[in-house]
Amino acid sequence: MPFERKHRTASFQDLAAGVVSPPETRPQPLAVSGSTTPVGVESLSKVLGTVELSPEEEERRRQLLWSLMSSYLARDVSSIQKYVVNHLEYSLARTRHNFDRSGAYQATALSVRDRLIEAWNDTQQYFTEKDCRRVYYLSLEFLMGRYLDNALINLGLREQYKEALIELGFDLDEVESEEREPGLGNGGLGRLAACFLDSIATLNYPGWGYGIRYRYGMFEQRIKNGYQIELPDFWLTRGNPFEIERLDVSYPVYFGGSVSQYTDNQGRLRFKWNPAEVVLAVAFDSPIPGYDTYNCINLRLWDSKPAREFDLSSFNVGDYYKILEMRQTSETLSAVLYPNDSTEAGKELRLKQQYFFVSATLQDILRRFLKKDRPLTQLAEKVCVQLNDTHPTIGIVELMRLLLDENGLGWTEAWKTVKAVFSYTNHTVLPEALEKWPVPLMERLLPRHMQLIYEINFRHLQEYARLGNNDGHMLERVSIIEESFPKMVRMAQLAVVGSHTVNGVAEIHSQLVRTRLFPDFNRFEPKKFINVTNGVTPRRWILEANPALSAVFSRWTESDDWILDLNQIRQLEQYAENPDLQREFFEAKKENKRRLAEYIREKNGIHVDTNALFDIQVKRIHEYKRQLLNIIGVIARYNLIKSGRRDLVPRVFIFGGKAAAGYAQAKRIIRLINGVADVVNNDPDVGDLLKVVFLENYSVSLAELIIPASDISEHISTAGMEASGTSNMKFVMNGGLIIGTMDGANIEIRDEVCPDNIFIFGLLADEIDKARSELKYRGWSCSDQRFQNALAQIGRGMYCGPDTYQEIARALEPPNDYYLVSRDFASYMDAQDRVDAAYKDKRSWLAKCIVATSRMGKFSSDRSIHEYAERIWHIEPCAFTPSSITYKEPVEGVAAPTADGTTPR
């Protein structure tokens, strides 16, 4: 039988629930011995820009300021209502007659932001006082999802806000749906970064995230006549109430120009960059709260602005177009995520974006470090920078420039410092994803950096020549400069050379990084390469996304400790055959399937049976992820039903994901999927035995709806091509099973959940090269009649027109089938037959799901971040724990709300 939920020990969550009495006062900053002025606080006369005060007057003003900021906002329902209504009137300038759902969202979000800022200020001040070593996580993507619900959960205030809004006439879920998702990422890279920030905050590690504040996301996807249509994703249409614009934090970023030489006062040769263009990077901060902790860290995003707000001389001579061009050129840097780099202009913009972001970030990090009087050679004692993939790699060279040219360090001490600061996470072994930049472009945009890259490469090759007996072929492979036409700068090689640690993100991927991607580096520096398997945060991906299953976890583990230690759900395994647990597990899944079915009916106009098996593949559309294998399998299943088979398990195949705007084949795959859906869903012979659905505009919030509803999820990439994957972890955590290849984190998931609870098929990574050779040179072809029939139907235009089917058919011909769809097809269909057979035995299926879910503790991002902290960053938790806390009195002069949600005066 399930158990009563047990309260945690006194904590931030307990304060929210009223389990313990709140302490009294907010903490004061630490003071320097013999001084009454807190560390990090300048004289108030300087801060406020006033005339100099006497010590007594300044002390009185200091005491007044601290007394006014000495308490936290109250957490009771009545006070929350007053804070929300105050923001409605005073921040949004709305009246009681103009209190709609949009206003309710903005006012609620602003009231929550107030609480985040309290925690954020105290946490940052505490980090400064403790002078702890910090990690700075640099990523071109942060796919955060919606902020409001996540913040309320982590603050322990969701129930209070829910009750407060009900009395004001609003449903919290509907209010939360008003939030536009920040368009700061595309796929797994950005979602991983978001999970990592949540875990850094929750585990009390001192850290910040840094990225770009894109005004437009990748794009908003619409499906029209089966085709993907890209629309601008202007997610800032109604602003972002959770961000704080820091007009006091901005840095110049330079481009172009030339480099000159001079001799310094010590007779040393120095270099000066004389740039031709300057752009201003302005900071926007978003507080990131941890769960069940006071700590709140920061995500700082850079927005690009013109260095000169207005060119009066151009205006006076009537050159208005020049003014507009200067502004447009500057603001373009943070306009859009991943500009198409198939053109020279696109390449230039993308490189400028990357440099813009890392230059501003490193200037900010150095400014913070230099607040204390200490040499820059000690930088690595307090700063570690994690490069999330190759995109921020130019930061290695930028830090060298700042140390050498701006701060006067010598080469040896500067390079030693740089290597001790940076570490690099590789996310792919796909050649096209390992960035390379043309040397002529680098010389034109970043002339000083190109000089430094040549010098770094020269010294690096000298060292490797000594270690490798001057092997010319080896030196060519490890060189940062690729001797092609034009010459290219290999950013992955630069990241390896300039970092103290390189990690892959799953065991098989890390092995491929060592043996396939960087074998020569691994030969000479084997200790540099390690593995840190990815993880996902259980706060967003279970607690927030799946409240029904969360309640089951808490009842059967007798507490909610699993939210911070996912290994606690291992306790469920012993009850896997228990009818009561199976019933609750089934009911939670059924509720999640019902919610998704309702969404499909509203958005796609398709009725799906929640008793059917929900088979889901949602991820970026790419040939190596093999959505094509999935949909050909669907066609084969459709043909089986048409042939008269009625004993199949009813299935709903659900697809979702975006194809990059310039990726024509991926867009053809979307067209084929929608074409198959049109045929299958409108065939009266099929009925509820088979449905096919493509959900447009896949996003974090849509994933939160889809993932908990899965019975089986497909992670079927060609072996050796998926670095890790994180959606596979989310699906199993939420009570589903996997059909997949031995690729990425699937391998480790199989090891954890046991081979009986995952449906593995296909070639292994070490068999791939041989299989490709057989396709290309020996003419191997798939003889499976199901595959041939499906291919023939596609070729006849049964599902799509010639603009789609001709290129798809050509890609599946033996010499061209690089991703081995035809080779793995029969094995894939056998695995699907095993899924059908297992699903027919409902008790056995539920037991499998419970066991698999209970063994997913390893895949929490808390474990990942703990490994990063111990093995790479060498940082310690720095938990801000105020000794006492006082809540502000409720706002006076505002009456209680009436039944109709209005507030009388």
Side-chain angles (χ1 to χ4, degrees):
M1 293 293 293
F3 303 97
E4 292 291 329
R5 187 168 179 174
K6 186 169 63 179
H7 287 299
R8 299 177 60 81
T9 55
S11 67
F12 198 55
Q13 304 296 317
D14 296 330
L15 290 176
V19 177
V20 295
S21 300
E24 298 179 353
T25 58
R26 211 170 153 182
Q28 301 289 320
L30 300 177
V32 178
S33 178
S35 169
T36 58
T37 304
V39 173
V41 178
E42 301 178 62
S43 71
L44 286 177
S45 59
K46 293 180 181 178
V47 173
L48 300 174
T50 62
V51 296
E52 288 293 332
L53 302 175
S54 68
E56 294 78 10
E57 291 173 322
E58 182 152 331
E59 178 62 18
R60 280 197 296 272
R61 293 189 65 172
R62 191 188 71 81
Q63 292 291 347
L64 174 61
L65 177 62
W66 286 108
S67 67
L68 292 171
M69 299 176 67
S70 65
S71 58
Y72 289 94
L73 294 172
R75 303 167 69 88
D76 61 281
V77 170
S78 177
S79 298
I80 287 171
Q81 290 170 339
K82 292 170 184 176
Y83 297 138
V84 170
V85 171
N86 270 9
H87 273 297
L88 182 79
E89 181 167 14
Y90 300 117
S91 301
L92 305 178
R94 291 190 178 216
T95 70
R96 67 193 73 180
H97 305 294
N98 190 23
F99 194 6
D100 58 13
R101 196 163 71 185
S102 175
Y105 162 69
Q106 293 180 65
T108 300
L110 288 169
S111 74
V112 173
R113 192 189 78 164
D114 291 344
R115 299 168 189 280
L116 294 175
I117 289 174
E118 289 179 331
W120 186 91
N121 280 335
D122 287 344
T123 302
Q124 303 315 309
Q125 181 64 28
Y126 187 71
F127 288 168
T128 299
E129 292 164 357
K130 291 297 185 182
D131 195 24
C132 46
R133 177 175 164 86
R134 303 193 201 191
V135 60
Y136 298 101
Y137 196 82
L138 274 59
S139 179
L140 210 58
E141 296 186 42
F142 284 96
L143 207 56
M144 303 303 295
R146 289 173 174 160
Y147 270 83
L148 179 55
D149 194 40
N150 186 250
L152 288 174
I153 287 172
N154 281 13
L155 290 171
L157 283 169
R158 195 175 197 283
E159 291 306 312
Q160 292 95 314
Y161 266 85
K162 184 176 182 179
E163 183 180 345
L165 287 172
I166 285 174
E167 293 181 0
L168 291 173
F170 295 96
D171 177 78
L172 178 57
D173 291 334
E174 293 181 356
V175 168
E176 288 169 345
S177 70
E178 290 289 313
E179 182 175 350
R180 290 289 302 269
E181 289 189 39
L184 304 172
N186 168 35
L189 189 78
R191 285 192 288 273
L192 179 75
C195 287
F196 278 6
L197 289 189
D198 177 87
S199 286
I200 289 171
T202 296
L203 297 177
N204 299 312
Y205 287 117
W208 279 32
Y210 277 101
I212 297 178
R213 181 182 179 264
Y214 306 104
R215 288 186 289 281
Y216 295 88
M218 188 177 180
F219 58 80
E220 188 170 329
Q221 182 194 55
R222 290 288 173 262
I223 303 299
K224 186 174 182 180
N225 298 324
Y227 292 92
Q228 171 179 290
I229 305 297
E230 299 99 27
L231 301 175
D233 176 24
F234 188 47
W235 65 280
L236 286 166
T237 305
R238 289 177 286 180
N240 176 12
F242 285 99
E243 69 181 8
I244 303 109
E245 184 177 11
R246 306 303 296 262
L247 293 174
D248 57 323
V249 181
S250 62
Y251 300 95
V253 179
Y254 303 106
F255 297 100
S258 60
V259 180
S260 58
Q261 300 180 9
Y262 68 96
T263 303
D264 67 13
N265 53 15
Q266 297 179 14
R268 296 178 299 183
L269 181 64
R270 292 290 183 184
F271 296 85
K272 181 183 179 183
W273 184 14
N274 308 296
E277 179 187 353
V278 58
V279 174
L280 204 62
V282 178
F284 282 75
D285 290 343
S286 296
I288 309 295
Y291 179 85
D292 203 13
T293 174
Y294 292 95
N295 277 35
C296 183
I297 64 169
N298 191 40
L299 171 60
R300 176 159 287 179
L301 303 173
W302 300 107
D303 193 22
S304 57
K305 304 285 186 184
R308 285 190 296 172
E309 185 61 31
F310 188 73
D311 186 353
L312 186 59
S313 60
S314 296
F315 182 82
N316 286 337
V317 298
D319 196 351
Y320 310 125
Y321 291 107
K322 181 180 178 182
I323 300 171
L324 292 175
E325 182 183 1
M326 290 172 59
R327 173 173 290 277
Q328 217 168 29
T329 300
S330 300
E331 294 180 347
T332 296
L333 286 182
S334 58
V336 66
L337 168 69
Y338 291 153
N340 190 338
D341 60 358
S342 61
T343 65
E344 289 304 312
K347 285 186 175 69
E348 178 174 325
L349 177 56
R350 190 161 175 175
L351 176 58
K352 290 179 77 172
Q353 272 190 338
Q354 293 178 7
Y355 176 68
F356 162 79
F357 137 60
V358 298
S359 177
T361 296
L362 290 168
Q363 291 180 70
D364 197 43
I365 291 170
L366 289 182
R367 175 192 60 81
R368 190 171 300 113
F369 174 81
L370 291 171
K371 280 184 175 180
K372 294 186 181 291
D373 186 17
R374 52 192 168 194
L376 278 167
T377 50
Q378 295 177 7
L379 183 67
E381 296 175 16
K382 299 298 178 183
V383 169
C384 45
V385 176
Q386 186 70 39
L387 305 175
N388 192 28
D389 219 358
T390 55
H391 309 126
T393 300
I394 193 65
I396 291 170
V397 191
E398 172 67 356
L399 184 55
M400 275 298 286
R401 185 189 72 82
L402 292 170
L403 296 179
L404 291 170
D405 298 354
E406 304 294 332
N407 290 279
L409 267 64
W411 183 277
T412 301
E413 56 188 1
W415 184 241
K416 180 180 178 182
T417 300
V418 167
K419 288 196 69 171
V421 164
F422 284 97
S423 48
Y424 161 54
T425 300
N426 174 277
H427 283 280
T428 183
V429 294
L430 295 179
E432 65 268 25
L434 297 174
E435 288 187 313
K436 295 187 289 188
W437 296 111
V439 166
L441 176 63
M442 291 281 290
E443 288 176 330
R444 180 164 54 83
L445 283 184
L446 302 171
R448 177 59 178 144
H449 297 74
M450 197 62 240
Q451 287 182 344
L452 292 170
I453 288 171
Y454 278 130
E455 184 66 21
I456 291 168
N457 195 45
F458 174 72
R459 294 174 184 240
H460 154 62
L461 292 180
Q462 274 193 323
E463 175 66 14
Y464 268 45
R466 182 182 63 81
L467 295 172
N469 298 319
N470 210 22
D471 179 349
H473 293 295
M474 180 272 293
L475 294 176
E476 182 181 356
R477 291 191 298 269
V478 300
S479 175
I480 297 169
I481 307 297
E482 178 181 280
E483 298 296 331
S484 54
F485 185 79
K487 291 183 178 182
M488 306 290 283
V489 180
R490 297 162 163 168
M491 302 309 283
Q493 271 83 346
L494 176 59
V496 174
V497 171
S499 298
H500 60 81
T501 306
V502 177
N503 74 280
V505 291
E507 287 288 355
I508 185 175
H509 171 244
S510 295
Q511 185 62 23
L512 292 171
V513 167
R514 295 185 189 100
T515 59
R516 184 185 298 178
L517 208 56
F518 304 120
D520 301 296
F521 290 100
N522 184 58
R523 174 185 165 198
F524 297 122
E525 300 179 83
K527 292 182 179 179
K528 174 178 281 193
F529 295 88
I530 68 170
N531 174 66
V532 181
T533 299
N534 283 342
V536 299
T537 169
R539 269 76 63 183
R540 180 176 289 275
W541 292 109
I542 307 177
L543 185 62
E544 180 180 343
N546 198 343
L549 189 60
S550 297
V552 174
F553 287 171
S554 294
R555 278 195 297 272
W556 286 81
T557 62
E558 298 187 273
S559 80
D560 59 0
D561 289 356
W562 62 268
I563 302 168
L564 290 171
D565 178 10
L566 196 57
N567 289 307
Q568 294 291 324
I569 64 173
R570 189 68 180 253
Q571 299 173 53
L572 271 66
E573 183 177 350
Q574 62 186 311
Y575 305 113
E577 303 283 350
N578 185 299
D580 291 319
L581 176 57
Q582 287 196 355
R583 174 180 51 78
E584 292 186 32
F585 207 88
F586 174 79
E587 289 174 352
K589 180 64 67 176
K590 193 68 178 288
E591 170 59 20
N592 290 321
K593 291 170 76 171
R594 184 199 62 76
R595 291 168 56 222
L596 179 56
E598 179 63 21
Y599 180 88
I600 291 171
R601 186 188 64 78
E602 290 179 1
K603 296 293 183 179
N604 293 63
I606 301 169
H607 169 78
V608 299
D609 183 3
T610 57
N611 292 312
L613 185 153
F614 278 25
D615 182 320
I616 298 174
Q617 187 180 22
V618 285
K619 53 187 73 217
R620 180 166 51 95
I621 309 297
H622 196 289
E623 288 171 277
Y624 90 84
K625 294 179 183 288
R626 298 203 296 191
Q627 287 90 353
L628 191 53
L629 174 60
N630 187 345
I631 196 61
I632 292 175
V634 173
I635 295 171
R637 192 178 189 90
Y638 170 64
N639 290 335
L640 200 59
I641 294 171
K642 292 290 286 183
S643 72
R645 281 284 300 275
R646 313 301 293 179
D647 60 339
L648 298 174
V649 170
R651 291 251 195 150
V652 179
F653 286 89
I654 299 169
F655 296 83
K658 296 179 180 180
Y663 192 174
Q665 186 72 340
K667 296 170 85 168
R668 293 186 192 104
I669 292 170
I670 290 176
R671 175 67 187 93
L672 176 61
I673 292 169
N674 283 293
V676 172
D678 287 341
V679 171
V680 169
N681 297 338
N682 292 294
D683 190 331
D685 294 338
V686 175
D688 285 339
L689 269 181
L690 182 61
K691 296 291 183 184
V692 182
V693 178
F694 188 95
L695 295 175
E696 67 181 12
N697 206 39
Y698 184 56
S699 62
V700 174
S701 57
L702 187 52
E704 291 173 16
L705 177 66
I706 293 171
I707 289 172
S710 81
D711 293 306
I712 201 84
S713 59
E714 306 218 9
H715 310 276
I716 56 177
S717 53
T718 310
M721 302 196 76
E722 181 72 84
S724 166
T726 52
S727 66
N728 46 7
M729 304 170 188
K730 297 166 192 171
F731 277 105
V732 184
M733 284 180 183
N734 279 278
L737 299 180
I738 284 175
I739 180 170
T741 50
M742 289 288 281
D743 197 26
N746 284 355
I747 298 172
E748 290 165 78
I749 292 174
R750 185 204 62 165
D751 292 343
E752 291 293 315
V753 306
C754 134
D756 291 341
N757 299 318
I758 186 171
F759 300 91
I760 294 294
F761 74 93
L763 295 167
L764 303 179
D766 58 8
E767 298 172 327
I768 295 298
D769 289 341
K770 181 182 177 183
R772 284 178 177 149
S773 177
E774 289 176 346
L775 282 169
K776 188 171 183 180
Y777 299 112
R778 298 184 188 177
W780 185 95
S781 61
C782 181
S783 59
D784 192 297
Q785 196 59 47
R786 297 168 296 181
F787 184 81
Q788 293 299 330
N789 290 344
L791 210 57
Q793 289 175 337
I794 294 171
R796 292 199 304 268
M798 182 172 173
Y799 307 108
C800 50
D803 59 331
T804 297
Y805 71 67
Q806 287 179 352
E807 290 302 319
I808 286 179
R810 186 175 292 116
L812 293 173
E813 291 173 359
N816 304 325
D817 189 11
Y818 182 79
Y819 300 100
L820 300 172
V821 171
S822 60
R823 189 64 183 267
D824 274 349
F825 177 79
S827 178
Y828 172 72
M829 295 303 291
D830 289 345
Q832 289 288 21
D833 289 342
R834 299 201 309 271
V835 171
D836 272 10
Y839 193 73
K840 288 177 180 178
D841 185 343
K842 291 299 171 56
R843 287 190 60 107
S844 175
W845 179 270
L846 286 168
K848 285 177 176 289
C849 292
I850 292 169
V851 170
T853 300
S854 71
R855 295 182 177 185
M856 289 299 290
K858 171 182 177 178
F859 301 100
S860 167
S861 54
D862 295 347
R863 187 270 313 151
S864 302
I865 289 300
H866 183 69
E867 288 188 18
Y868 273 102
E870 282 202 335
R871 302 177 63 196
I872 299 177
W873 302 335
H874 307 297
I875 59 175
E876 298 290 336
C878 190
F880 167 64
T881 309
S883 56
S884 55
I885 180 172
T886 292
Y887 295 107
K888 292 179 180 175
E889 293 298 319
V891 181
E892 297 180 2
V894 180
T898 60
D900 64 359
T902 60
T903 306
R905 291 185 183 245

